Amino acid sequence: MGTDAPLSDISEDKLVRFETAVYPVPQYDPENPQIISQGPSVCIFNKEDSGEVLASWLFASYLLTNKVQLGYAETEGYIPVTLKAQNDPDYLDYLSRAGEDNDLHYQVKLDASRLLIDNVEHSFVTPVFNGSASLRNAAGQLIEDATKSVKRKKTVDDAYLEKLFSDTSSLYRLDQVSALASAGGGADLGPLPATAVWMLVILGCTWVIIGVCFLSEKIKKKKH
C-alpha cells in the first residue's frame, strides 16, 4: 500500500503521490482495543503412517526456525510467530531500518509490523467455520460495490443497501447459512439410516443390561 509500494502496478505517469500513515483500526472500546491478524495456518494431523506424521512435524519445526520466519517477514510482511524470532537481533535490526529504501525496508510495511507487535496482548483468535472465505469475499464485494456506486453518483440509501446486501448474500450463498442458523443450526436431513437406528437401539439395550446387572449385584450384597 502507498505510492512507493514495491509491488505497485500503477504506471508512473498515472501515480498520484500521497502520504500513507499506519494506524490501528477504529475501536468500539478504545480502552480495551482488540486486533486480529489473519494468515495461513499449518496443522499436523495424526495418521496411520507415523513416518508421515514425523515428516509433518519436522517441516513445521523447520518453518518455525528464525531464519525461515525472518525471511518470510521480510518478503510477505507477516511478523514472526515465536518470541525467540521476534527478539532476534537480525529482526530487531530489520525493524529499526524502516524507510531506508522502498523495497526491503518499505516504511509502511514495517510500520504495520511494529504496530502489530506492540499490540500482541490485545490480539484474539476466532474459531474456523465453514463459509468463512465466502463471508470475507462478500464483505469485500459490499465495500467495492458501494464505493463504485458513490463514485458513479448513484443513490445510496437504505433501499439500495438492502438490495445490495440481499444480492451479495445470494451471490455468495450466505442466505443458506442464515437459513440454517434460523432453523436452530441445522437443516432437516430426513430419517436416520437403518444402520444408525440399530446401533442406537443396541447401545440403549447395552446400557439397560449394564444397569440391571449393577442393581442385581447391589441386591445380592444387601442380602449377604
mmCIF file of all heavy atoms in Angstrom, residues 79 86 90-99 105 109-111 113-114 117:
data_model
loop_
_atom_site.group_PDB
_atom_site.id
_atom_site.type_symbol
_atom_site.label_atom_id
_atom_site.label_comp_id
_atom_site.label_asym_id
_atom_site.label_seq_id
_atom_site.Cartn_x
_atom_site.Cartn_y
_atom_site.Cartn_z
ATOM 1 N N ILE A 79 4.589 -10.860 10.829
ATOM 2 C CA ILE A 79 5.556 -10.848 11.919
ATOM 3 C C ILE A 79 5.866 -12.288 12.329
ATOM 4 O O ILE A 79 5.034 -13.183 12.132
ATOM 5 C CB ILE A 79 5.043 -10.059 13.142
ATOM 6 C CG1 ILE A 79 3.842 -10.758 13.802
ATOM 7 C CG2 ILE A 79 4.676 -8.638 12.752
ATOM 8 C CD1 ILE A 79 3.445 -10.152 15.134
ATOM 9 N N GLN A 86 10.989 -12.964 17.211
ATOM 10 C CA GLN A 86 10.666 -11.542 17.338
ATOM 11 C C GLN A 86 11.786 -10.764 18.025
ATOM 12 O O GLN A 86 12.005 -9.589 17.738
ATOM 13 C CB GLN A 86 9.358 -11.361 18.109
ATOM 14 C CG GLN A 86 8.116 -11.787 17.356
ATOM 15 C CD GLN A 86 6.853 -11.590 18.171
ATOM 16 O OE1 GLN A 86 6.834 -10.853 19.157
ATOM 17 N NE2 GLN A 86 5.774 -12.270 17.783
ATOM 18 N N ASP A 90 18.751 -9.841 14.434
ATOM 19 C CA ASP A 90 18.613 -9.546 12.996
ATOM 20 C C ASP A 90 17.233 -8.948 12.692
ATOM 21 O O ASP A 90 17.111 -8.038 11.862
ATOM 22 C CB ASP A 90 18.826 -10.809 12.171
ATOM 23 C CG ASP A 90 20.279 -11.261 12.165
ATOM 24 O OD1 ASP A 90 21.162 -10.427 12.478
ATOM 25 O OD2 ASP A 90 20.529 -12.440 11.872
ATOM 26 N N TYR A 91 16.188 -9.477 13.357
ATOM 27 C CA TYR A 91 14.842 -8.953 13.105
ATOM 28 C C TYR A 91 14.680 -7.564 13.709
ATOM 29 O O TYR A 91 14.074 -6.679 13.080
ATOM 30 C CB TYR A 91 13.798 -9.895 13.686
ATOM 31 C CG TYR A 91 12.376 -9.478 13.363
ATOM 32 C CD1 TYR A 91 11.931 -9.433 12.048
ATOM 33 C CD2 TYR A 91 11.497 -9.093 14.370
ATOM 34 C CE1 TYR A 91 10.637 -9.031 11.736
ATOM 35 C CE2 TYR A 91 10.191 -8.695 14.073
ATOM 36 C CZ TYR A 91 9.778 -8.664 12.753
ATOM 37 O OH TYR A 91 8.487 -8.260 12.457
ATOM 38 N N LEU A 92 15.226 -7.336 14.900
ATOM 39 C CA LEU A 92 15.155 -6.015 15.528
ATOM 40 C C LEU A 92 15.893 -4.979 14.683
ATOM 41 O O LEU A 92 15.446 -3.841 14.536
ATOM 42 C CB LEU A 92 15.734 -6.071 16.941
ATOM 43 C CG LEU A 92 14.970 -6.950 17.938
ATOM 44 C CD1 LEU A 92 15.687 -6.986 19.287
ATOM 45 C CD2 LEU A 92 13.536 -6.450 18.113
ATOM 46 N N ASP A 93 17.016 -5.406 14.104
ATOM 47 C CA ASP A 93 17.760 -4.507 13.213
ATOM 48 C C ASP A 93 16.956 -4.207 11.960
ATOM 49 O O ASP A 93 16.937 -3.065 11.478
ATOM 50 C CB ASP A 93 19.091 -5.155 12.840
ATOM 51 C CG ASP A 93 19.886 -4.312 11.849
ATOM 52 O OD1 ASP A 93 20.340 -3.221 12.228
ATOM 53 O OD2 ASP A 93 20.024 -4.753 10.682
ATOM 54 N N TYR A 94 16.267 -5.230 11.453
ATOM 55 C CA TYR A 94 15.427 -5.056 10.261
ATOM 56 C C TYR A 94 14.334 -4.023 10.517
ATOM 57 O O TYR A 94 14.099 -3.129 9.699
ATOM 58 C CB TYR A 94 14.828 -6.404 9.880
ATOM 59 C CG TYR A 94 13.733 -6.358 8.855
ATOM 60 C CD1 TYR A 94 14.002 -6.006 7.533
ATOM 61 C CD2 TYR A 94 12.420 -6.680 9.200
ATOM 62 C CE1 TYR A 94 12.993 -5.973 6.582
ATOM 63 C CE2 TYR A 94 11.412 -6.645 8.265
ATOM 64 C CZ TYR A 94 11.690 -6.294 6.959
ATOM 65 O OH TYR A 94 10.685 -6.252 6.024
ATOM 66 N N LEU A 95 13.664 -4.111 11.675
ATOM 67 C CA LEU A 95 12.605 -3.169 12.004
ATOM 68 C C LEU A 95 13.137 -1.751 12.181
ATOM 69 O O LEU A 95 12.472 -0.773 11.815
ATOM 70 C CB LEU A 95 11.889 -3.608 13.290
ATOM 71 C CG LEU A 95 11.035 -4.878 13.232
ATOM 72 C CD1 LEU A 95 10.465 -5.196 14.614
ATOM 73 C CD2 LEU A 95 9.898 -4.742 12.216
ATOM 74 N N SER A 96 14.336 -1.637 12.744
ATOM 75 C CA SER A 96 14.902 -0.314 13.030
ATOM 76 C C SER A 96 15.298 0.438 11.761
ATOM 77 O O SER A 96 15.517 1.647 11.806
ATOM 78 C CB SER A 96 16.126 -0.455 13.940
ATOM 79 O OG SER A 96 17.204 -1.086 13.262
ATOM 80 N N ARG A 97 15.365 -0.259 10.655
ATOM 81 C CA ARG A 97 15.817 0.368 9.404
ATOM 82 C C ARG A 97 14.645 0.748 8.491
ATOM 83 O O ARG A 97 14.814 0.922 7.282
ATOM 84 C CB ARG A 97 16.769 -0.583 8.677
ATOM 85 C CG ARG A 97 18.036 -0.872 9.493
ATOM 86 C CD ARG A 97 18.851 -1.992 8.901
ATOM 87 N NE ARG A 97 19.366 -1.658 7.576
ATOM 88 C CZ ARG A 97 20.054 -2.491 6.807
ATOM 89 N NH1 ARG A 97 20.293 -3.720 7.239
ATOM 90 N NH2 ARG A 97 20.477 -2.110 5.619
ATOM 91 N N ALA A 98 13.471 0.892 9.086
ATOM 92 C CA ALA A 98 12.277 1.252 8.311
ATOM 93 C C ALA A 98 12.489 2.568 7.569
ATOM 94 O O ALA A 98 12.939 3.562 8.148
ATOM 95 C CB ALA A 98 11.061 1.367 9.237
ATOM 96 N N GLY A 99 12.204 2.577 6.283
ATOM 97 C CA GLY A 99 12.303 3.793 5.485
ATOM 98 C C GLY A 99 13.635 3.986 4.802
ATOM 99 O O GLY A 99 13.805 4.954 4.041
ATOM 100 N N HIS A 105 12.987 -2.493 3.107
ATOM 101 C CA HIS A 105 12.680 -1.752 4.332
ATOM 102 C C HIS A 105 11.583 -0.713 4.087
ATOM 103 O O HIS A 105 11.644 0.396 4.606
ATOM 104 C CB HIS A 105 13.941 -1.077 4.874
ATOM 105 C CG HIS A 105 15.059 -2.039 5.139
ATOM 106 N ND1 HIS A 105 16.081 -2.263 4.227
ATOM 107 C CD2 HIS A 105 15.296 -2.858 6.187
ATOM 108 C CE1 HIS A 105 16.922 -3.156 4.722
ATOM 109 N NE2 HIS A 105 16.471 -3.543 5.899
ATOM 110 N N LYS A 109 5.173 -1.037 5.366
ATOM 111 C CA LYS A 109 5.164 -2.441 5.777
ATOM 112 C C LYS A 109 5.740 -2.609 7.173
ATOM 113 O O LYS A 109 5.169 -3.321 8.011
ATOM 114 C CB LYS A 109 5.965 -3.280 4.779
ATOM 115 C CG LYS A 109 6.012 -4.774 5.125
ATOM 116 C CD LYS A 109 6.765 -5.594 4.092
ATOM 117 C CE LYS A 109 8.237 -5.278 4.081
ATOM 118 N NZ LYS A 109 9.000 -6.193 3.195
ATOM 119 N N LEU A 110 6.846 -1.949 7.463
ATOM 120 C CA LEU A 110 7.478 -2.102 8.765
ATOM 121 C C LEU A 110 6.685 -1.378 9.860
ATOM 122 O O LEU A 110 6.664 -1.825 11.005
ATOM 123 C CB LEU A 110 8.912 -1.588 8.718
ATOM 124 C CG LEU A 110 9.855 -2.411 7.832
ATOM 125 C CD1 LEU A 110 11.289 -1.931 7.962
ATOM 126 C CD2 LEU A 110 9.776 -3.879 8.187
ATOM 127 N N ASP A 111 6.031 -0.275 9.519
ATOM 128 C CA ASP A 111 5.168 0.394 10.498
ATOM 129 C C ASP A 111 4.007 -0.516 10.893
ATOM 130 O O ASP A 111 3.616 -0.567 12.061
ATOM 131 C CB ASP A 111 4.621 1.704 9.922
ATOM 132 C CG ASP A 111 5.668 2.804 9.907
ATOM 133 O OD1 ASP A 111 6.742 2.613 10.516
ATOM 134 O OD2 ASP A 111 5.409 3.860 9.288
ATOM 135 N N SER A 113 4.051 -3.805 10.801
ATOM 136 C CA SER A 113 4.613 -4.885 11.610
ATOM 137 C C SER A 113 4.831 -4.422 13.042
ATOM 138 O O SER A 113 4.500 -5.129 14.005
ATOM 139 C CB SER A 113 5.943 -5.356 11.019
ATOM 140 O OG SER A 113 5.758 -5.895 9.727
ATOM 141 N N ARG A 114 5.380 -3.243 13.206
ATOM 142 C CA ARG A 114 5.628 -2.698 14.543
ATOM 143 C C ARG A 114 4.323 -2.485 15.301
ATOM 144 O O ARG A 114 4.232 -2.760 16.503
ATOM 145 C CB ARG A 114 6.401 -1.386 14.416
ATOM 146 C CG ARG A 114 6.609 -0.649 15.736
ATOM 147 C CD ARG A 114 7.404 -1.454 16.723
ATOM 148 N NE ARG A 114 8.772 -1.632 16.283
ATOM 149 C CZ ARG A 114 9.657 -2.370 16.940
ATOM 150 N NH1 ARG A 114 9.291 -3.022 18.023
ATOM 151 N NH2 ARG A 114 10.892 -2.481 16.493
ATOM 152 N N ILE A 117 3.140 -5.896 16.566
ATOM 153 C CA ILE A 117 3.986 -6.391 17.656
ATOM 154 C C ILE A 117 3.683 -5.651 18.956
ATOM 155 O O ILE A 117 3.632 -6.246 20.038
ATOM 156 C CB ILE A 117 5.473 -6.243 17.276
ATOM 157 C CG1 ILE A 117 5.838 -7.225 16.164
ATOM 158 C CG2 ILE A 117 6.365 -6.477 18.494
ATOM 159 C CD1 ILE A 117 7.251 -7.066 15.656
#
